[in-house]
Amino acid sequence: MATRMATRRNQVKAEPVSKYEPGSPTDSSTSGTVIDHSYEMLPPSQPVRKRNVPHDDYHGPPSSVTPSIVAASDAPSFVRSLAPSAETFQRNTEDPEPMFMEMRRRSRHSTPASQPADASFAQQSFAHPTFTDIGLKQKACNDTLGNLQTLGVSHVAAALPELVLVGDQSSGKSSLMSGLARVNLPRSAGVCTRCPLHIRLISSSIGRWSCTVSLQQDYDFQPLPNRKPRPSDVTKANPFPPWVKKSHRDTKPFKTIYNPDEIEVVLRWAQVAILNHNQSFEKFIPGEGTVADNTSLDQAARETDADFSPNIVALEIKGPELPDLSFYDLPGVFMSPEKEEDEYVVRVVKNLSLEYIGREKAIILWAFPMNVDPENSISLSMIRSSGASTKAIGVMTKADQLPPQSTHTWLSMFRGERQYVRHGYFATARPPNSHLEDAALWEKSFFNGEVCGNNTWPDEFSEFANRCGVEVLLDYLSCQLGEAFARSLPSIKDSVYNRLKQIEGELASLPELPRNVEHEVKRSLIQFLQHMKTAMAMKCTSFSSKWNTLNHNFQDCVFKMKPKCNVKDSETQTIDISSNDSEVTTPAPTPKRPRPSDSTMRNVTTPSKRQRQDVPTTPVKQEDVPMRSASRASSVVGSSAAGVIENPFTIFFNLGRSFMNIREIRDDILRKKRPGMPQHLVPDEVRDSLCLRAVEKWTFPLETYIKKTAELLEDTAHTALEESLGGLRQRLIFRECRHHLSAFITQQVASQRGLLTDMLNTEAYMIFVLNNDAFEDCKAKEMKELERVRGILRLKAMTYIDWNYATKALEKMTPEEKAWERKAFDTHLPKLSKDPYETEIGVAGFVRGYYMMAAARFVEGVAMNVNSTLLRTFRENELDNYMDQVFQIYGSADQSFYSKLMEEDEKTAKRREQFKAERIKLAEAMEIINNLENSSGDASARPVHVSLDSDSEMGEGVL
């Protein structure tokens, strides 16, 4: 290649084309102006023309330039940056006519040598004079670019210059690709057209040829349930269904081979593997995988999970005399699939080509055959619609199949008269089914005008000989790609470095695992168990305070559920025994009452004489349904962040209301009395059934008590967990500990619920009294209250007490009020006959007395049982033993067990691993770029990064 370039160089005739802006110095050594050595290379037959516009504003060659191989196609070979061309830099000093380069003023007003220490990387390194020979290092540039592409830098940091080969199906693209790669690649339709390829060629001094095949996975396969995608599923937001883009690239090494004859089989199996994304790729490695060894390649290609994949099969080919080049080969676009159900693939393949064509720094190779009209090319339509014709190169394939009658059409394209792409055209001809070396010789002979088979290359194309053949195209592409990379390298490095700093910041927020994970696990869990023991110790702790309040509220609720008795014996009387609910009023002095009449003795009065005060009462629900909250002020269970917690037992306070009345008791006695039983003797069944029915109502508050105790335990345990393992909240150990702790509490609470339920069932089984003195005291107290209220009711009926007199609880009465009421009783009750409901009042007193004694016994037993059974498991060693079985706190386990416990949650761990993998790639990319920089020969020039703002100065043109 060097010989050919030198020959071309010696043929070039140049004229001075110096250009200066007004007032600009002619010597960069005497001024701070940076000189841009931009120039154009024209074909040998054309003189060098002076440029009239800066390269930043370039929109095509001047109209004064005579059409030629390059100018006629509206394409300069290069748009130069500071890096001079390998074609012109080492000029022969004996040339009779010197070669000048265009010069123009730059916007910077300082030389690279005068840059301050905080200048951008572009100014400190690539603008450094020792880097002006970077364009000479074409191999180094292309190698570096290939390495960065392999690392996936364009995926995470910066857009990279890249060659993208596109074309329609049957456009000769596969033969062209094989010629560019200098290896026999699959040319048949089928599996080899169902995913993109990335081929990287590396010239190696080692005589051994090798090819490493890998799978670059940028997308996850998420198939739709029970059906293939439809064309309607292909959208702008979802261009490749059922493939979904990942946040990072996974690279899977597939196989390395050393025999070029194996590449076709290995490549086809690699594409089968990439189409079975959710299966292990190792199964498809030929000579190693189970599927590859037991299934034919054709069958495996027909039975893939996916019909198409945007993931990439990458080939890195090393060998002597290979060009330093890398390019992407995309599946050929087409209009109609073989099967109607694959209609969506047409859109998917088109979207893939559009995605690559639209990349910022892509150099498009448009392949189209010379035996069809290029206007019919689907790829051309896509290039035009994407506005990519300015960065496209046309490659005419199948030149040996050129119809004689269309020669004029193709000549007009070479000459730029039919301008489809800005950067001109190359022609190639590769016979099908030929060995690589034979194909190269055949092509050379064909374009030299020799008869090859039945075809001859027309003489009319002889003036474009330097645009014919794969080898010529390779030289051109290699120079173009290296030049574009050298031009973009400063901004690429800046982007890589900035992304690397961002990744470092992300990883700093996700600290690594502690060095001794076993010690950290055990220390944290032991600390947690100590916190739990302290909380359960019942010594002025938050838990003990809240639990005591819960016990008092539970006790208060059960006592307030005492069965109420309505002692009225007619509908006109209404007074309800409720020591806490009576309205507080002051009685007016009782006037002198008239002598009782027959009507008052019969407890019948006229409305005009006895206007009863209507006091609204709280409605009572059915006994088996918990009531709504009463309007009374709620008690406090404990404090919370939001303030106080309402008493959870309030809704049960009225479950004892309307429990019994004296008329119903009388009816029950009569129903259950045996014949001949004395009138005032009450069957035991009456009292027993009423007592047990009252006790059964404890089911509701008991369940609430158990539930609130469990919640209190959960809150206390989670507080201890936060205090002990709060710093490990994102780790697996925190979630696992919380999970197992909740399971332990649930288990213990369930066991405790069984014990308390047994206690309730025991109380509801039969009435039982051993402490007769306590029972008699409770019954006497209840009888006294019942008789008092019944007496007030009877005195009101006899008009000895004003009907509006309100009954109040004794503890709420003043001494004067008590004295007045006691005097009224002593004065008027002896005047009345015996109470006809004396027996029924006695039954109500018995039931209420037994209830109060049993309630005190039950509440005390429940709280004592919870303390000695449930809470004891946390104070002593049961929780310790349970946690030890799960986490091996006091024993030992494999280090991987503790390491797993210290892992983050799946999402955080995944982000961490992605950042770490990306950091490795970016650090390697920085090293690769620095190595290219250091290869300039100036070992003292070390890259120092600051924000880069010189993209426009360095030039961002691709071609």
Side-chain angles (χ1 to χ4, degrees):
M1 185 178 74
T3 303
R4 180 168 59 254
M5 292 171 62
T7 302
R8 291 174 60 191
R9 181 176 63 248
N10 292 334
Q11 293 175 347
V12 174
K13 304 298 182 181
E15 62 181 11
V17 289
S18 299
K19 173 185 176 182
Y20 300 93
E21 294 182 358
S24 64
T26 60
D27 187 356
S28 62
S29 63
T30 62
S31 170
T33 302
V34 178
I35 304 301
D36 178 17
H37 302 284
S38 300
Y39 61 92
E40 299 177 5
M41 285 299 299
L42 296 180
S45 61
Q46 299 299 323
V48 177
R49 298 281 184 177
K50 178 178 177 180
R51 289 173 53 141
N52 294 320
V53 294
H55 74 274
D56 291 340
D57 302 322
Y58 178 73
H59 297 289
S63 59
S64 60
V65 177
T66 304
S68 65
I69 298 174
V70 177
S73 64
D74 199 16
S77 297
F78 303 99
V79 178
R80 291 293 181 187
S81 65
L82 292 179
S85 168
E87 296 178 317
T88 60
F89 183 79
Q90 296 178 345
R91 182 176 57 82
N92 190 334
T93 58
E94 297 180 357
D95 284 350
E97 295 184 27
M99 198 177 295
F100 291 91
M101 292 177 289
E102 176 182 331
M103 304 173 65
R104 61 187 177 87
R105 177 185 292 270
R106 303 296 293 274
S107 60
R108 295 275 182 185
H109 296 286
S110 60
T111 62
S114 65
Q115 294 295 335
D118 60 346
S120 71
F121 165 73
Q123 299 154 358
Q124 289 190 339
S125 56
F126 286 96
H128 195 279
T130 59
F131 286 88
T132 57
D133 65 343
I134 200 169
L136 290 174
K137 301 188 178 295
Q138 181 174 300
K139 172 176 171 52
C141 285
N142 286 336
D143 283 348
T144 302
L145 176 59
N147 287 330
L148 296 180
Q149 288 174 339
T150 300
L151 289 172
V153 168
S154 60
H155 192 79
V156 296
L160 299 175
E162 54 193 6
L163 294 174
V164 178
L165 179 57
V166 299
D168 298 357
Q169 276 189 350
S170 304
S171 62
K173 190 165 57 66
S174 297
S175 298
L176 173 61
M177 180 179 64
S178 296
L180 293 174
R182 294 186 177 177
V183 68
N184 289 315
L185 298 173
R187 302 187 186 186
S188 59
V191 67
C192 59
T193 63
R194 291 157 63 183
C195 71
L197 301 179
H198 180 232
I199 301 175
R200 180 185 175 193
L201 308 174
I202 302 174
S203 178
S204 173
S205 59
I206 302 176
R208 189 178 189 183
W209 181 94
S210 67
C211 175
T212 298
V213 180
S214 59
L215 313 180
Q216 296 178 352
Q217 299 173 343
D218 298 325
Y219 295 82
D220 277 328
F221 183 60
Q222 299 180 4
L224 299 172
N226 303 322
R227 71 172 179 89
K228 283 188 173 184
R230 303 188 183 102
S232 59
D233 295 324
V234 185
T235 63
K236 186 175 181 180
N238 186 25
F240 312 125
W243 297 89
V244 178
K245 185 142 188 168
K246 300 164 60 174
S247 61
H248 65 292
R249 167 177 288 182
D250 287 331
T251 301
K252 310 289 188 182
F254 190 72
K255 189 178 181 67
T256 299
I257 57 176
Y258 302 95
N259 184 354
D261 295 336
E262 300 176 12
I263 192 169
E264 180 170 355
V265 172
V266 173
L267 177 56
R268 294 188 65 188
W269 274 114
Q271 292 178 96
V272 171
I274 215 164
L275 293 169
N276 291 284
H277 180 83
N278 293 335
Q279 300 185 47
S280 172
F281 72 94
E282 296 175 341
K283 298 194 302 184
F284 304 97
I285 300 176
E288 303 176 24
T290 55
V291 175
D293 288 347
N294 298 290
T295 309
S296 69
L297 182 54
D298 290 339
Q299 179 183 351
R302 290 192 302 268
E303 298 175 353
T304 56
D305 294 339
D307 300 310
F308 173 84
S309 175
N311 288 328
I312 300 167
V313 173
L315 287 75
E316 184 179 275
I317 304 173
K318 296 181 181 180
E321 300 182 358
L322 285 176
D324 294 296
L325 189 68
S326 62
F327 61 93
Y328 291 91
D329 175 56
L330 304 182
V333 293
F334 57 99
M335 292 296 294
S336 300
E338 294 182 4
K339 302 177 182 179
E340 184 178 355
E341 62 183 10
D342 294 334
E343 184 68 33
Y344 79 98
V345 179
V346 176
R347 298 190 182 186
V348 169
V349 172
K350 182 178 180 180
N351 285 342
L352 181 71
S353 296
L354 289 172
E355 196 271 328
Y356 277 82
I357 289 172
R359 290 183 179 178
E360 177 186 355
K361 297 183 179 180
I363 303 173
I364 311 302
L365 299 183
W366 168 42
F368 57 99
M370 297 187 76
N371 59 353
V372 297
D373 188 345
E375 286 286 355
N376 296 328
S377 171
I378 307 173
S379 302
L380 176 61
S381 175
M382 294 164 54
I383 292 171
R384 285 173 168 172
S385 65
S386 301
S389 58
T390 57
K391 57 182 182 179
I393 303 168
V395 182
M396 305 172 183
T397 63
K398 302 183 181 181
D400 54 311
Q401 300 180 28
L402 170 67
Q405 65 273 15
S406 62
T407 299
H408 176 75
T409 300
W410 298 101
L411 279 173
S412 65
M413 293 179 63
F414 267 120
R415 291 169 181 163
E417 297 168 3
R418 299 179 68 182
Q419 186 177 348
Y420 298 127
V421 294
R422 173 173 292 186
H423 298 286
Y425 303 92
F426 287 81
T428 64
R430 290 277 162 156
N433 303 321
S434 298
H435 191 272
L436 193 64
E437 294 182 1
D438 295 339
L441 292 173
W442 187 94
E443 183 184 57
K444 182 177 180 181
S445 299
F446 175 76
F447 284 123
N448 284 337
E450 301 178 14
V451 178
C452 296
N454 298 324
N455 300 303
T456 303
W457 184 237
D459 293 338
E460 292 88 337
F461 292 97
S462 60
E463 62 179 302
F464 306 110
N466 59 353
R467 285 262 172 163
C468 296
V470 172
E471 292 298 317
V472 175
L473 177 61
L474 272 172
D475 291 345
Y476 181 81
L477 295 178
S478 186
C479 291
Q480 293 289 331
L481 194 60
E483 180 65 21
F485 178 63
R487 192 186 308 279
S488 305
L489 192 52
S491 62
I492 292 172
K493 181 174 182 179
D494 191 70
S495 297
V496 171
Y497 182 78
N498 285 336
R499 179 58 180 167
L500 186 57
K501 288 199 301 184
Q502 182 182 356
I503 293 297
E504 293 289 356
E506 294 284 356
L507 287 173
S509 66
L510 302 171
E512 293 282 354
L513 296 177
R515 292 183 179 180
N516 191 336
V517 291
E518 180 179 358
H519 170 75
E520 185 67 20
V521 167
K522 292 183 176 181
R523 182 194 65 80
S524 300
L525 291 175
I526 290 174
Q527 185 178 7
F528 161 71
L529 293 173
Q530 290 174 344
H531 278 300
M532 283 299 295
K533 284 182 171 61
T534 301
M536 298 290 110
M538 297 298 180
K539 295 179 180 179
C540 301
T541 62
S542 174
F543 174 83
S544 62
S545 174
K546 294 178 180 178
W547 190 62
N548 283 337
T549 302
L550 182 66
N551 287 330
H552 290 311
N553 287 334
F554 176 56
Q555 180 183 45
D556 184 50
C557 172
V558 174
F559 287 164
K560 285 183 182 297
M561 289 170 57
K562 178 173 63 175
K564 307 299 186 296
C565 181
N566 189 340
V567 296
K568 67 179 181 178
D569 56 357
S570 70
E571 293 299 329
T572 57
Q573 298 174 340
T574 174
I575 186 167
D576 199 8
I577 301 252
S578 180
S579 59
N580 294 325
D581 296 340
S582 298
E583 215 175 298
V584 179
T585 58
T586 303
T590 304
K592 185 175 180 180
R593 293 170 177 77
R595 182 180 179 87
S597 63
D598 293 339
S599 63
T600 58
M601 290 295 294
R602 292 193 298 267
N603 209 14
V604 179
T605 60
T606 61
S608 60
K609 293 184 178 180
R610 297 178 54 218
Q611 296 295 327
R612 180 172 62 90
Q613 182 181 6
D614 293 329
V615 180
T617 59
T618 304
V620 181
K621 287 181 175 277
Q622 294 298 324
E623 296 175 358
D624 56 344
V625 180
M627 296 176 57
R628 292 175 293 178
S629 297
S631 59
R632 68 175 65 249
S634 299
S635 302
V636 176
V637 173
S639 300
S640 69
V644 296
I645 302 175
E646 290 187 354
N647 187 338
F649 300 101
T650 306
I651 59 175
F652 308 120
F653 284 178
N654 287 324
L655 286 184
R657 197 172 186 85
S658 301
F659 181 79
M660 55 186 173
N661 65 65
I662 54 177
R663 287 176 295 134
E664 292 176 351
I665 295 175
R666 171 172 288 183
D667 293 340
D668 195 30
I669 293 173
L670 293 175
R671 284 195 304 270
K672 296 177 180 178
K673 183 180 291 187
R674 297 191 305 274
M677 183 178 288
Q679 181 179 359
H680 299 292
L681 189 63
V682 179
D684 291 341
E685 186 180 354
V686 174
R687 287 189 292 262
D688 289 357
S689 62
L690 288 173
C691 290
L692 298 180
R693 190 155 57 90
V695 167
E696 289 172 354
K697 296 183 183 295
W698 293 344
T699 301
F700 302 118
L702 178 63
E703 181 57 35
T704 299
Y705 175 78
I706 296 172
K707 178 182 176 182
K708 292 301 177 180
T709 300
E711 290 178 1
L712 188 55
L713 279 173
E714 290 272 2
D715 292 342
T716 303
H718 291 163
T719 300
L721 193 63
E722 285 288 343
E723 293 175 354
S724 308
L725 288 87
L728 305 175
R729 193 175 295 102
Q730 301 300 326
R731 307 286 182 177
L732 179 62
I733 185 176
F734 187 87
R735 299 195 314 277
E736 287 292 305
C737 188
R738 184 171 57 185
H739 168 74
H740 288 290
L741 183 60
S742 295
F744 179 79
I745 292 175
T746 300
Q747 174 185 340
Q748 297 303 317
V749 168
S751 176
Q752 183 67 63
R753 179 180 282 106
L755 295 176
L756 299 183
T757 302
D758 287 342
M759 289 181 60
L760 177 60
N761 292 336
T762 300
E763 293 287 352
Y765 174 66
M766 63 182 298
I767 64 173
F768 190 83
V769 177
L770 284 181
N771 191 342
N772 287 308
D773 292 340
F775 169 66
E776 292 299 331
D777 288 343
C778 292
K779 185 175 73 171
K781 180 179 178 182
E782 297 301 323
M783 285 297 298
K784 180 179 179 181
E785 182 66 20
L786 287 168
E787 290 171 350
R788 170 181 172 253
V789 177
R790 175 66 179 171
I792 292 174
L793 181 63
R794 295 184 71 200
L795 292 177
K796 282 184 177 182
M798 300 300 295
T799 68
Y800 289 121
I801 297 179
D802 188 87
W803 186 257
N804 294 325
Y805 177 76
T807 306
K808 297 194 300 183
L810 289 174
E811 60 268 18
K812 294 182 179 180
M813 296 176 66
T814 64
E816 292 78 9
E817 292 171 338
K818 291 179 181 179
W820 181 90
E821 185 178 282
R822 186 166 50 253
K823 182 178 179 181
F825 273 46
D826 293 342
T827 302
H828 301 295
L829 275 181
K831 302 177 183 178
L832 303 181
S833 62
K834 182 180 178 181
D835 188 351
Y837 285 93
E838 182 180 20
T839 301
E840 288 77 9
I841 295 295
V843 172
F846 181 94
V847 172
R848 286 163 61 93
Y850 178 81
Y851 179 93
M852 294 302 291
M853 184 202 69
R857 177 176 65 196
F858 178 69
V859 170
E860 193 83 13
V862 166
M864 184 173 63
N865 198 295
V866 169
N867 182 54
S868 62
T869 304
L870 177 61
L871 304 187
R872 184 178 183 179
T873 61
F874 294 90
R875 285 194 294 267
E876 297 186 357
N877 296 325
E878 286 193 46
L879 178 61
D880 300 51
N881 296 334
Y882 176 82
M883 299 296 277
D884 180 48
Q885 290 178 2
V886 176
F887 297 108
Q888 298 295 313
I889 303 174
Y890 306 109
S892 60
D894 188 84
Q895 286 299 311
S896 60
F897 171 78
Y898 300 106
S899 297
K900 182 178 181 180
L901 287 174
M902 294 300 287
E903 290 180 355
E904 292 104 340
D905 61 90
E906 184 177 355
K907 182 178 179 180
T908 303
K910 187 175 181 180
R911 287 180 64 238
R912 158 190 278 279
E913 292 305 315
Q914 290 174 0
F915 286 142
K916 288 171 68 175
E918 188 175 336
R919 179 177 62 179
I920 293 173
K921 291 181 179 180
L922 292 174
E924 187 175 347
M926 285 298 298
E927 182 179 1
I928 291 170
I929 295 173
N930 287 336
N931 289 339
L932 176 64
E933 174 184 295
N934 294 334
S935 68
S936 66
D938 182 8
S940 64
R942 293 288 180 257
V944 179
H945 172 83
V946 185
S947 61
L948 181 67
D949 61 354
S950 57
D951 286 353
S952 61
E953 297 173 356
M954 297 298 293
E956 283 298 311
V958 176
L959 293 173

